[in-house]
Amino acid sequence: GRLLAFRYDRSDTERVELSVSGDQVAKKVIERPVEIRTAVISGKVGRSLFHSARRLGLSPSVINTLTDEVFRYDIDFDRDVAASDRFSVVVEQTWREGELIRSGPVTAAVFTAKGKPFTAVRFEREDGKAEYFTADGRPLKKSFIRSPIQYARLSSRFGTRRHPVLGTQRMHKGVDYAARTGTPIMAAGDGRVVSVGWQGGYGNTVVLDHGKGHTTLYAHMSRTAKLKRGERVSQGEVIGYVGSTGLSTGPHLHYEFRVNGVHRNPLQHTMPPPEPLAETVMAQFRAQTAPALERIREVEEIIYATVPPATDENRVAATGKPAGKKG
């Protein structure tokens, strides 16, 4: 029934103990050194990327970085990923007394989807701003994200079809994503609000102008975000929520992509690749990213070398280097 001692962690490296003896309080500071390790975590997607990555020790924040930031422009994680696809991730981990207490940012990663490897490295500029790039210095961030909605099913493709409400053959000028009512809808790219509100058969609709003749349309929303005509929105910003307003048979997002007023298939239209880093910055980029890329390369070589049949031809095709060579 009386206080004998009190202990608390003041920081990652210091633990404070207060011992009470009568009216006296003794303070003791215990140093708890931490160790920073660079870890490479590799595995298969399996039945669930999230659960597989968590089982291997990746934190939820690291997994979200991979899916929502690093590879969001090249891989549609709802449709492009199979159970046999692989990933390798380089992260800085903080350990203390044999316990993992924190994972730092992803410094490099390789994700193989549909047999094609996608590589990303983290580069921090002199101003402290960090972004992800390909190994040759091109930004991964593109003008438009692959899909303006997460965790949705592609329910209708671009092209001629029988209208589900009118029953007539007509051109479907966008793609439909089926999702629960209230699912957030994101702006596919930076842009300006052209219109927001009710638009006939489209129901609650938002239209964005992204410049250079590119516009996008988001229809059948249950409600739009609080937007005003002429307002600027950022890529990934929530502009509304899935619904079934207008000519619709169920909750979904109807998404259109137009170039100079001409409808294009959002699943196929490709944008020009971003410009690489300036040559004056490339030397710093190579020096900063080389260690993480080397760790990834070593692990990928080991993986491909141990997958039967581990022929020299397979290893050369997978790594671009002759078998047995390093560096």
Side-chain angles (χ1 to χ4, degrees), residues 156 159-172 247:
S156 185
T160 304
R161 66 165 189 177
R162 182 178 295 276
H163 194 279
V165 177
L166 302 176
T168 57
Q169 288 288 120
R170 58 193 298 180
M171 181 68 179
H172 187 229
L247 287 177

Side-chain angles (χ1 to χ4, degrees), residues 104-166:
V106 174
T107 55
V110 174
F111 202 108
T112 301
K114 292 186 176 180
K116 181 180 179 181
F118 296 90
T119 303
V121 288
R122 185 177 186 269
F123 175 58
E124 188 171 316
R125 301 175 188 266
E126 292 182 350
D127 60 3
K129 183 180 179 182
E131 296 179 52
Y132 288 95
F133 294 79
T134 61
D136 61 356
R138 289 186 181 274
L140 286 180
K141 181 177 180 180
K142 295 180 175 59
S143 301
F144 296 91
I145 55 180
R146 285 287 303 275
S147 172
I149 185 172
Q150 292 182 309
Y151 317 120
R153 175 177 58 87
L154 182 65
S155 57
S156 185
R157 296 180 177 272
F158 183 90
T160 304
R161 66 165 189 177
R162 182 178 295 276
H163 194 279
V165 177
L166 302 176

Side-chain angles (χ1 to χ4, degrees), residues 4 18 22 25 67 88 130 156 166 187 199 214 230 233 239 271 316:
L4 299 178
L18 303 176
V25 178
T67 58
S88 292
S156 185
L166 302 176
Q199 197 174 125
H214 296 86
V233 295
I239 57 173
M271 301 296 294
V316 171

Side-chain angles (χ1 to χ4, degrees), residues 44-52 55 82-84:
K44 285 187 176 182
V45 171
R47 295 180 64 183
S48 163
L49 170 61
F50 184 85
H51 288 102
S52 298
R55 192 165 55 248
S84 59

Side-chain angles (χ1 to χ4, degrees), residues 17 35 53 69 79 123 126 130 144 177 215 247 302:
E17 288 188 359
E35 180 186 359
E69 182 177 353
R79 282 166 285 278
F123 175 58
E126 292 182 350
F144 296 91
Y177 294 99
T215 59
L247 287 177
I302 293 171

Side-chain angles (χ1 to χ4, degrees), residues 315-322:
R315 291 190 62 192
V316 171
T319 65
K321 296 181 180 294

Side-chain angles (χ1 to χ4, degrees), residues 17-280:
E17 288 188 359
L18 303 176
S19 301
V20 182
S21 179
D23 294 336
Q24 301 298 314
V25 178
K27 176 182 177 181
K28 181 181 180 181
V29 179
I30 303 171
E31 295 292 332
R32 308 179 72 196
V34 297
E35 180 186 359
I36 307 298
R37 305 177 189 173
T38 300
V40 185
I41 299 174
S42 299
K44 285 187 176 182
V45 171
R47 295 180 64 183
S48 163
L49 170 61
F50 184 85
H51 288 102
S52 298
R54 289 290 290 133
R55 192 165 55 248
L56 291 168
L58 289 179
S59 67
S61 62
V62 168
I63 299 170
N64 289 337
T65 296
L66 292 175
T67 58
D68 300 347
E69 182 177 353
V70 179
F71 295 118
R72 69 186 296 186
Y73 301 96
D74 296 305
I75 303 173
D76 187 328
F77 283 90
D78 292 325
R79 282 166 285 278
D80 293 345
V81 176
S84 59
D85 289 339
R86 300 197 59 88
F87 59 89
S88 292
V89 185
V90 181
V91 292
E92 283 192 350
Q93 297 180 330
T94 303
W95 290 77
R96 183 183 61 205
E97 300 171 359
E99 178 186 2
L100 174 64
I101 62 174
R102 187 187 313 110
S103 290
V106 174
T107 55
V110 174
F111 202 108
T112 301
K114 292 186 176 180
K116 181 180 179 181
F118 296 90
T119 303
V121 288
R122 185 177 186 269
F123 175 58
E124 188 171 316
R125 301 175 188 266
E126 292 182 350
D127 60 3
K129 183 180 179 182
E131 296 179 52
Y132 288 95
F133 294 79
T134 61
D136 61 356
R138 289 186 181 274
L140 286 180
K141 181 177 180 180
K142 295 180 175 59
S143 301
F144 296 91
I145 55 180
R146 285 287 303 275
S147 172
I149 185 172
Q150 292 182 309
Y151 317 120
R153 175 177 58 87
L154 182 65
S155 57
S156 185
R157 296 180 177 272
F158 183 90
T160 304
R161 66 165 189 177
R162 182 178 295 276
H163 194 279
V165 177
L166 302 176
T168 57
Q169 288 288 120
R170 58 193 298 180
M171 181 68 179
H172 187 229
K173 298 179 180 180
V175 293
D176 291 346
Y177 294 99
R180 290 184 176 181
T181 298
T183 302
I185 298 167
M186 301 175 291
D190 297 339
R192 177 179 55 83
V193 178
V194 175
S195 64
V196 55
W198 193 269
Q199 197 174 125
Y202 283 128
N204 287 326
T205 302
V206 172
V207 178
L208 302 179
D209 182 351
H210 306 279
K212 297 182 179 180
H214 296 86
T215 59
T216 53
L217 178 145
Y218 314 76
H220 305 306
M221 296 180 178
S222 58
R223 61 186 176 93
T224 66
K226 294 182 179 179
L227 302 173
K228 295 180 180 179
R229 185 175 179 180
E231 180 179 345
R232 301 292 303 184
V233 295
S234 301
Q235 185 181 78
E237 182 178 336
V238 175
I239 57 173
Y241 302 87
V242 169
S244 187
T245 56
L247 287 177
S248 170
T249 58
H252 72 284
L253 165 67
H254 173 79
Y255 172 56
E256 294 183 7
F257 189 93
R258 305 173 186 173
V259 180
N260 296 322
V262 179
H263 290 84
R264 302 289 181 88
N265 186 344
L267 303 179
Q268 294 180 353
H269 186 72
T270 57
M271 301 296 294
E275 290 296 317
L277 289 167
E279 197 58 41
T280 53

